Amino acid sequence: MEMQSLKNEPIELKITILKKMGYSSDGTFIFDSKGNLVVDPYTDEAVRIDNMVILQGSEIILDSNPLSLAGYFEDHGEVF
């Protein structure tokens, strides 16, 4: 599997991807289908669209930081 970074993509593309997944964004934060902030389960912080990561094979949205990524891989294994 090839990993594609969205880090340098336009915010409009990121919002379109989120909408296709059932999420929304105000341009800063990400919201679930009920309008609740998406919170990174490993840091307990709201996920910002400019620092989000969606791991291939998953619909879990995390903050792109070492703690969250390590926690995810520990819980789910590497999916690449």
Side-chain angles (χ1 to χ4, degrees), residues 46-60:
V47 179
R48 298 175 57 94
I49 196 168
D50 61 348
N51 206 40
M52 74 173 184
V53 62
I54 305 166
L55 298 173
Q56 193 166 0
S58 165
E59 288 194 17
I60 297 172

Side-chain angles (χ1 to χ4, degrees), residues 17-59:
I17 291 169
L18 289 170
K19 284 182 181 177
K20 289 186 181 273
M21 293 174 60
Y23 294 88
S24 63
S25 176
D26 62 2
T28 302
F29 294 102
I30 301 167
F31 302 91
D32 66 16
S33 61
K34 296 179 182 175
N36 300 311
L37 274 171
V38 172
V39 175
D40 184 300
Y42 301 100
T43 63
D44 256 355
E45 301 279 332
V47 179
R48 298 175 57 94
I49 196 168
D50 61 348
N51 206 40
M52 74 173 184
V53 62
I54 305 166
L55 298 173
Q56 193 166 0
S58 165
E59 288 194 17

Side-chain angles (χ1 to χ4, degrees), residues 2 4 10-11 23 34 36 43 47 49 60 65 67 71-73 79:
E2 185 177 331
Q4 297 274 317
I11 194 160
Y23 294 88
K34 296 179 182 175
N36 300 311
T43 63
V47 179
I49 196 168
I60 297 172
N65 69 70
L67 175 64
Y72 178 86
F73 291 135
V79 293

